Amino acid sequence: MAGSSHGHTPAAWTGVIISFIGFCVGGAFMVAAKPAGFWVGIGIVLLGGVVGGIMRLMGMGMVPKGGAKAQPQTQS
């Protein structure tokens, strides 16, 4: 796994960090028995996915193999 570049992009790191913060917020409010705060945490988790997806579309994520941005092959 160390040889792969899976998830080593700004889009992936940003999405995961935001989602982790949301998870922590939701967990803290769940323990405190505050349902409104829990749902805010869930919203932050979802926001992390949206932000990561937008950043990927902006070119800060990995290009899928064989995707639309693949380089055309040249014949020599």
Side-chain angles (χ1 to χ4, degrees), residues 24-54:
C24 291
V25 168
F29 279 104
M30 184 171 57
V31 171
K34 305 287 184 181
F38 168 77
W39 288 110
V40 168
I42 296 299
I44 295 171
V45 170
L46 296 174
L47 179 68
V50 170
V51 169
I54 290 171

